[in-house]
Amino acid sequence: MTFRRHSVVRDEYVPAYLSLISNSLSWGGSRLFNRLHGVGINEWRVLSAVVNEPACTATRVGDVLGLNKSVVSRSIRLLQDRELLTVDTTGGRRGLRLTDAGHEVHDQLLAVSLRREELLLAGFSAAEKAQLLDFLRRMYRNVPAMNAYQPDEGTTP
């Protein structure tokens, strides 16, 4: 039996570009956010999620952001240590809320994040941005099917 070896042509493989862009956004954002406010990209994401859903739980933050529970927990601890976030245990629920300082950091990082988005999308029209968002949303809806895919052992799809 002869096996043919193929490789991914990176310039034609969508996951390669998504990964490159995602890594660049995360690494660049973390470096910048750490320099500006001593928080990384995951902490920024938690701040943003809590602003969008005040009093949400850590579980909800993980679900919304698609982050592992341990990553969310570490980020919450760091934000609490920095006095940017509090955990309200009233009613037996662990609701997350930003402090005044947390709102201030959030608002400053929001401006930076929006500017980074502008730079990333330089040369795109408003219609192209809308189309890109439509494509990305459609791809995101396909993620469960992609992750559920299990080829039979010993066979090629």
Side-chain angles (χ1 to χ4, degrees), residues 15-83:
Y17 275 104
L18 291 173
S19 182
L20 288 168
I21 293 166
S22 176
N23 290 342
S24 295
L25 282 167
S26 293
W27 297 336
S30 272
R31 278 193 310 272
L32 180 58
F33 297 167
N34 262 308
R35 183 176 62 77
L36 295 172
H37 290 288
V39 298
I41 195 75
N42 290 325
E43 290 75 38
W44 157 243
R45 290 173 177 158
V46 170
L47 289 172
S48 183
V50 174
V51 162
N52 288 328
E53 289 187 42
C56 64
T57 64
T59 300
R60 176 67 179 154
V61 169
D63 291 345
V64 167
L65 299 177
L67 290 175
N68 182 284
K69 183 178 178 178
S70 64
V71 172
V72 173
S73 293
R74 275 193 308 271
S75 295
I76 288 171
R77 275 193 306 278
L78 187 145
L79 292 168
Q80 283 182 285
D81 291 347
R82 298 272 326 280
E83 298 182 357

Side-chain angles (χ1 to χ4, degrees), residues 91-151:
R93 207 167 163 266
R94 298 180 50 83
L96 306 174
R97 294 196 183 277
L98 299 192
T99 63
D100 289 343
H103 279 286
E104 188 174 315
V105 168
H106 170 271
D107 293 350
Q108 291 173 14
L109 291 180
L110 176 61
V112 171
S113 295
L114 293 174
R115 177 63 180 140
R116 285 172 46 87
E117 180 192 34
E118 285 177 20
L119 294 168
L120 180 65
L121 297 177
F124 284 71
S125 69
E128 288 170 326
K129 178 183 175 183
Q131 184 177 30
L132 175 60
L133 284 169
D134 179 59
F135 290 157
L136 292 170
R137 288 180 188 115
R138 287 168 37 198
M139 286 173 55
Y140 185 69
R141 285 192 301 266
N142 291 335
V143 166
M146 176 192 67
N147 284 339
Y149 171 66
Q150 296 290 325

